Amino acid sequence: MATTTYFDETIKDQDERCSMNVEFGRCSFYSGCDVKSGQGTDSIILKVNDECVIMDIQMAKKFVNAAADVGRYFGILDE
């Protein structure tokens, strides 16, 4: 599985009472393979506390757009 990681951090709550390990990037695990929804493609991988999902393109688009909306709301999105 070819993965390019763009984010790999332990994220702590503001008062540091809890944390989670988060990895985010692109992955070609399903690229070219038959999957339940059709043909697999490169897509986004999200791993939280060792639980991993590789999103289909439709879900990846929703996820990225939602993250960008939150970033714009707080004025922290790098343009």
Side-chain angles (χ1 to χ4, degrees):
M1 163 172 47
T3 301
T4 304
T5 301
Y6 290 88
F7 184 87
D8 188 4
E9 299 281 338
T10 298
I11 300 172
K12 293 183 180 180
D13 186 66
Q14 289 185 31
D15 68 3
E16 298 189 8
R17 290 185 185 186
C18 59
S19 66
M20 63 176 65
N21 298 315
V22 177
E23 183 180 335
F24 177 72
R26 60 143 304 271
C27 180
S28 64
F29 181 78
Y30 289 120
S31 187
C33 297
D34 290 333
V35 294
K36 188 175 182 180
S37 61
Q39 191 75 4
T41 60
D42 280 2
S43 194
I44 290 176
I45 186 171
L46 178 63
K47 187 175 180 182
V48 178
N49 290 340
D50 293 324
E51 292 289 329
C52 179
V53 294
I54 302 169
M55 301 175 208
D56 63 26
I57 293 299
Q58 294 80 17
M59 182 56 66
K61 184 175 180 178
K62 283 179 166 180
F63 182 82
V64 169
N65 283 324
D69 287 345
V70 172
R72 280 191 286 277
Y73 174 83
F74 285 105
I76 57 176
L77 183 67
D78 293 336
E79 296 285 338

